[in-house]
């Protein structure tokens, strides 16, 4: 009955604008928030191995390099320069094995017979964000190895075919043990290794730092080399500076690594702008709703005064308003969440997947909590306003 | 409940000459239950009196006390509680909801107070001769019919004091008598009293006390 009296003229232009504004604003806000979270949560396989924002840099090989005038080594002053860059948070030169390495299969582990000359490199453990035990000591059962993904491609689609060998899957390779042949400092030995992961970013064969330190001391030939590759970690969204630096120092970098960073940065910036705009729309629509309830209140001014005169409490009148507004904004909130989900799952996710960004079950919790917070904020703002207005009507 | 006026002077009336016996000058103290008539010609402040006692106006000097408490100090929430439980009113301008039916107007009040049963409300309507208007919108009723709706509404709550501002101004003698009978009956049921303002018609009613303006 109260509702009937207080909301005599419910639908008007103000109401429609406020509702549409709130719906658009909230949907846009949730959508941009969810997309930012999605993009931030996106990890390529690389990032699972090495953590986010890390790239390998090396100097470009030029004609001068080939004839020995120019060197691709990073001199101590080069490293110093890198460390001084503000957007670079970590610098780690690769360590290389100072001995000859070859690998072959362990008989009975399912791999075809093969032998290949190899090399080992390592980067500090803090860059290796890997599930298996990357620490090696003399008691360890095997040496963990990370191979470049291209390596298995070369074997399967080039080498295996030309040699009449069976192709091997990543899983099989990871399940099988390998014989590691070490030859250096006048000594030969064999050890057991096992592939524990593949990397797209680093075209090198990585082993634990502890193993390399140990074996270099034992089998090293005593050549001290400057590193030719450096692993760096950059701050978020700094691919622009990174490109500049590459230009400046004549550096080479794995393109794919930078492309993902680039896409992430661009998407984050675009969505960020979108998000700010949607917050503005939200605030405007909040104002619209406050105005709308103000309008309803002033239209119902006689009714409110009379209700207070026949004994209705302020709380009862305010609650009637808030119930009605909660209902309206509840529908808006739920609709916004539903539209957000539809856009995300039917439009944005397929587009991202098409562009090589796979989003795996990122959480909707934050977006939904935000929707609830917006709802609460909205109801609270209206509650304060309605209560104040009703009270002033009663005192008039 | 007792009501006391101490040197009360509404500001719009301060420039008029008032009789020595006027409540605006002499003040009064009344103990309810009591049936009181306030008789005065137009412009002496009858409506001002009612809305002041009902807490709707504060533009007066002096002090009004209800059970010894100055009503100037009451908060809006305290007034609302008083109006629900202890003081009822029939306003001169009735203050009905024109867009609601007669029945909805009554239910709006009774839902709040749960004071009367539906059959009682219906019998009130019958008694005052507007039983057939139950489902009509208030705005389509004549003033006299609306006045009777307002009277019935004022009886749908417990009260110690019922303030009535010319409640019979649009009723003929006969209907006024019937309405007064109902009011008397319900006042006694509630164990309360009332103040009835009138332009001078007594409707043959026997009052306990007369206030003058």
């Amino acid at each position: 009955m109260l509702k009937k009296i207080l909301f005599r003229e419910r639908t008007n232009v103000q109401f429609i604008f406020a509702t549409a504004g709130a719906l658009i604003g909230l949907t846009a806000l949730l959508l941009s928030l969810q997309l930012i979270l999605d993009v931030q949560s996106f990890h390529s396989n690389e990032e699972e191995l090495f953590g986010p924002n890390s790239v390998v840099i090396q100097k470009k090989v030029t004609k001068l390099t080939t004839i020995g005038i120019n060197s691709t080594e990073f001199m101590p002053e080069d490293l110093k320069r890198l460390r001084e860059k503000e957007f670079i948070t970590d610098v780690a030169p690769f360590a290389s094995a100072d001995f000859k390495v070859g690998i072959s299969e362990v008989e009975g582990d399912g791999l075809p017979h093969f032998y290949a000359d190899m090399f080992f490199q390592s980067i500090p453990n803090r860059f290796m964000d890997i599930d298996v035990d990357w620490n090696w000591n003399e008691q360890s059962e095997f040496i963990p190895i990370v191979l470049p993904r291209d390596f298995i491609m070369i074997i399967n689609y080039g080498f295996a075919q030309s040699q009449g060998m069976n192709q091997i899957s990543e899983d099989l390779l990871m399940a099988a043990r390998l014989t590691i042949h070490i030859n250096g400092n006048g000594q030969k030995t064999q050890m057991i290794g096992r592939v524990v992961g593949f990397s797209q970013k680093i075209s090198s064969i990585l082993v634990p730092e502890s193993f390399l330190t140990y074996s270099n001391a034992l089998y090293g030939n005593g050549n001290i080399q400057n590193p030719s590759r450096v692993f760096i970690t950059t701050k978020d969204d700094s691919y622009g500076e990174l490109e500049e630096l590459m230009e400046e120092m004549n550096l080479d970098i794995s393109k794919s690594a930078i492309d993902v960073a680039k896409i992430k940065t661009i998407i984050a910036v675009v969505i960020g702008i979108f998000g700010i705009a949607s917050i503005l729309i939200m605030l405007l629509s909040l104002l619209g709703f406050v105005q709308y309830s103000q309008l309803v209140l002033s239209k119902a001014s006689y009714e409110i005064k009379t209700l207070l005169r026949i004994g209705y409490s302020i709380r009862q009148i305010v609650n009637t308003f808030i119930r009605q507004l909660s209902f309206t904004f509840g529908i808006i909130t739920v609709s916004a969440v539903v539209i957000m989900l539809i856009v995300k799952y039917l439009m944005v996710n397929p587009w991202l997947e098409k562009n090589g960004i796979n989003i795996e079950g990122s959480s909707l919790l934050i977006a939904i909590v935000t929707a609830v917070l917006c709802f609460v904020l909205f109801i609270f703002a209206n509650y304060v306003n309605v209560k104040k207005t009703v009270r002033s009507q009663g005192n008039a | 409940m007792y009501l006391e006026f101490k040197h009360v002077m509404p500001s719009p009336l301060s420039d008029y000459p008032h009789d020595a016996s006027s409540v605006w000058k002499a003040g009064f103290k009344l103990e309810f239950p009591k049936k009181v008539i306030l008789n005065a010609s137009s412009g002496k402040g009858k409506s001002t009196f009612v809305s002041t006692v009902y807490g709707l106006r504060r533009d007066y000097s002096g002090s009004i006390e209800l059970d010894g408490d100055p009503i100037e100090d009451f908060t809006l929430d305290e007034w609302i509680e008083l109006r629900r439980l202890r003081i009822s009113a029939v306003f001169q301008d009735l203050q009905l909801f024109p867009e609601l039916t007669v029945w909805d107007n009554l239910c709006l009040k009774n839902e709040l107070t749960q004071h009367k049963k539906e059959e009682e409300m219906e019998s009130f309507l019958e008694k005052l001769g507007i039983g057939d208007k139950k489902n009509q919108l208030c705005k389509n009723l004549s003033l006299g019919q609306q006045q009777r709706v307002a009277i019935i509404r004022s009886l749908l709550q417990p009260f110690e004091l019922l303030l009535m501002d010319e409640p019979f101004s649009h009723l003929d003698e006969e209907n006024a008598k019937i309405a007064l009978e109902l009011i008397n009956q319900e006042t006694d049921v509630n164990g309360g009293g009332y103040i009835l303002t009138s332009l001078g018609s007594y409707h043959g009613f026997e009052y306990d006390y007369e206030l003058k303006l």
Side-chain angles (χ1 to χ4, degrees):
Chain A
M1 190 89 79
L2 279 187
K3 198 178 129 192
K4 197 164 144 191
I5 298 169
L6 296 173
F7 287 89
R8 261 186 308 137
E9 297 161 70
R10 277 201 61 214
T11 39
N12 53 40
V13 178
Q14 192 107 26
F15 177 75
I16 293 167
F17 271 114
T19 308
L23 183 59
I24 294 169
L26 188 56
T27 307
L29 179 66
L30 295 182
L31 196 58
S32 44
L33 181 68
Q34 185 62 42
L35 292 186
I36 286 178
L37 291 175
D38 279 353
V39 172
Q40 292 303 323
S41 75
F42 161 64
H43 293 294
S44 64
N45 293 336
E46 296 306 317
E47 285 173 353
E48 278 163 21
L49 276 183
F50 305 111
N53 296 329
S54 52
V55 283
V56 178
I57 55 176
Q58 58 233 339
K59 290 187 175 174
K60 275 184 187 155
V61 176
T62 63
K63 283 178 196 148
L64 293 177
T65 322
T66 316
I67 58 172
I69 295 178
N70 193 340
S71 157
T72 59
E73 288 176 10
F74 282 89
M75 299 302 169
E77 54 268 29
D78 291 331
L79 293 176
K80 192 172 161 237
R81 245 176 99 191
L82 288 175
R83 287 199 176 93
E84 279 166 357
K85 292 287 173 191
E86 217 219 316
F87 70 94
I88 296 177
T89 54
D90 206 343
V91 177
F94 279 59
S96 292
D98 187 20
F99 47 83
K100 282 185 180 168
V101 182
I103 59 169
S104 65
E105 86 291 354
V106 169
E107 252 176 83
D109 269 15
L111 292 179
H113 172 71
F114 75 100
Y115 178 89
D117 280 326
M118 284 253 165
F119 62 96
F120 280 159
Q121 289 189 313
S122 78
I123 53 173
N125 283 1
R126 63 179 183 278
F127 288 98
M128 299 297 296
D129 184 10
I130 194 167
D131 285 340
V132 298
D133 187 9
W134 191 246
N135 288 313
W136 178 92
N137 60 45
E138 286 172 63
Q139 275 75 49
S140 293
E141 206 182 315
F142 59 85
I143 308 156
I145 300 171
V146 170
L147 289 181
R149 181 152 278 128
D150 290 344
F151 179 83
I152 199 164
M153 302 289 271
I154 289 170
I155 290 188
N156 279 339
Y157 300 105
F159 192 69
Q161 268 179 330
S162 70
Q163 305 285 310
M165 221 169 82
N166 290 331
Q167 294 181 324
I168 40 178
S169 68
E170 283 185 11
D171 289 341
L172 176 62
L173 190 53
M174 284 168 78
R177 289 171 296 168
L178 298 168
T179 311
I180 313 284
H181 307 265
I182 292 175
N183 179 2
N185 198 17
Q187 302 177 66
K188 276 187 183 178
T189 187
Q190 288 186 0
M191 296 171 105
I192 295 295
R194 182 173 251 167
V195 177
V196 296
F198 295 92
S199 156
Q200 199 104 46
K201 196 186 286 182
I202 304 179
S203 47
S204 178
I205 297 157
L206 295 177
V207 290
E209 205 179 13
S210 54
F211 169 73
L212 213 56
T213 315
Y214 164 85
S215 50
N216 268 349
L218 221 56
Y219 309 107
N221 296 319
N223 310 321
I224 297 167
Q225 288 181 324
N226 283 317
S228 59
R229 292 170 138 183
V230 178
F231 207 96
I232 58 170
T233 304
T234 60
K235 285 182 181 164
D236 281 338
D237 309 330
S238 55
Y239 91 96
E241 285 120 308
L242 187 60
E243 253 179 8
E244 228 169 76
L245 181 76
M246 286 164 54
E247 210 55 46
E248 195 184 308
M249 290 178 74
N250 195 28
L251 295 176
D252 211 2
I253 196 165
S254 151
K255 255 303 183 216
S256 69
I258 212 172
D259 281 349
V260 172
K262 200 166 171 178
I263 291 174
K264 277 175 77 170
T265 308
I266 292 171
I267 291 180
V269 169
V270 170
I271 296 175
I273 293 169
F274 191 59
I276 290 169
S278 60
I279 288 175
L280 287 178
I281 299 175
M282 265 299 288
L283 288 177
L284 281 178
S285 74
L286 177 63
L287 281 181
F289 256 105
V290 169
Q291 251 189 330
Y292 164 70
S293 47
Q294 200 78 40
L295 191 79
V296 174
L297 286 167
S298 67
K299 272 192 178 167
S301 130
Y302 168 80
E303 283 79 4
I304 292 170
K305 268 184 211 158
T306 307
L307 285 171
L308 294 175
R309 280 179 191 187
I310 66 172
Y312 272 89
S313 67
I314 292 172
R315 194 172 46 83
Q316 283 169 303
I317 295 172
V318 172
N319 285 355
T320 307
F321 263 95
I322 293 305
R323 253 201 304 278
Q324 186 63 29
L325 288 173
S326 304
F327 177 71
T328 307
F329 202 69
I331 289 180
I332 291 175
T333 309
V334 172
S335 311
V337 171
V338 169
I339 295 174
M340 182 270 280
L341 292 177
I342 290 174
V343 173
K344 172 175 152 59
Y345 285 107
L346 296 185
M347 294 165 68
V348 178
N349 280 12
W351 181 82
L352 286 176
E353 261 166 49
K354 227 170 78 188
N355 285 278
I357 299 184
N358 292 309
I359 289 161
E360 291 163 19
S362 64
S363 165
L364 296 170
L365 187 69
I366 293 180
I368 286 169
V369 167
T370 306
V372 171
L373 282 180
C374 283
F375 177 84
V376 171
L377 171 76
F378 175 89
I379 296 303
F380 178 75
N382 272 287
Y383 174 79
V384 170
N385 176 52
V386 169
K387 191 170 178 179
K388 202 177 111 218
T389 313
V390 170
R391 190 168 279 279
S392 75
Q393 300 269 24
N395 283 321
Chain B
M1 171 190 277
Y2 76 84
L3 175 68
E4 184 172 8
F5 268 47
K6 290 177 170 170
H7 315 293
V8 177
M9 178 58 70
S11 35
L13 298 174
S14 55
D15 294 338
Y16 287 92
H18 294 282
D19 291 344
S21 58
S22 162
V23 297
W24 300 134
K25 226 169 203 171
F28 66 88
K29 182 173 176 176
L30 284 176
E31 179 88 40
F32 292 90
K34 211 179 235 96
K35 297 184 173 77
V36 178
I37 191 159
L38 178 70
N39 231 327
S41 52
S42 204
K44 288 284 185 76
K46 289 192 295 294
S47 293
T48 307
F49 177 87
V50 169
S51 28
T52 305
V53 175
Y54 202 59
L56 301 177
R57 299 183 68 141
R58 294 190 177 190
D59 52 343
Y60 58 88
S61 57
S63 176
I64 300 172
E65 285 181 8
L66 208 58
D67 289 339
D69 299 320
I71 65 170
E72 297 82 33
D73 296 344
F74 292 177
T75 63
L76 180 59
D77 294 316
E78 285 169 335
W79 272 116
I80 289 169
E81 189 167 323
L82 268 176
R83 291 169 196 163
R84 193 169 66 241
L85 300 172
R86 301 180 67 192
I87 304 180
S88 189
V90 179
F91 305 98
Q92 195 176 28
D93 60 356
L94 306 179
Q95 303 256 343
L96 296 170
F97 295 98
E99 304 292 336
L100 294 185
T101 62
V102 169
W103 187 248
D104 281 349
N105 261 287
L106 299 182
C107 286
L108 191 64
K109 177 82 184 194
N110 203 53
E111 274 171 13
L112 180 71
T113 58
Q114 303 290 337
H115 192 58
K116 293 284 174 194
K117 297 194 189 77
E118 288 200 357
E119 307 84 71
E120 288 178 287
M121 286 156 65
E122 272 167 352
S123 80
F124 288 178
L125 286 171
E126 289 298 335
K127 199 173 242 172
L128 299 195
I130 48 172
D132 54 336
K133 307 289 179 204
K134 183 178 160 188
N135 294 317
Q136 290 203 15
L137 293 183
C138 263
K139 63 179 177 186
N140 297 334
L141 300 186
S142 75
L143 270 176
Q145 290 163 337
Q146 291 189 29
Q147 219 158 25
R148 283 173 268 177
V149 177
I151 290 169
I152 295 174
R153 185 178 71 179
S154 73
L155 301 176
L156 301 179
Q157 71 166 83
F159 62 85
E160 293 165 47
L161 172 59
L162 172 62
L163 297 162
M164 292 178 283
D165 195 2
E166 298 189 41
F168 311 134
S169 55
H170 295 277
L171 299 186
D172 56 49
E173 253 339 281
E174 185 57 31
N175 273 315
K177 259 196 187 121
I178 298 171
L180 187 58
E181 256 171 44
L182 178 67
I183 292 165
N184 274 326
Q185 170 202 320
E186 284 305 307
T187 306
D188 293 340
V189 168
N190 279 297
Y194 57 72
I195 300 176
L196 188 155
T197 77
S198 161
L199 271 171
S201 332
Y202 287 79
H203 313 288
F205 124 67
E206 293 164 8
Y207 47 86
D208 302 325
Y209 192 86
E210 181 174 4
L211 288 172
K212 291 198 171 69
L213 288 179

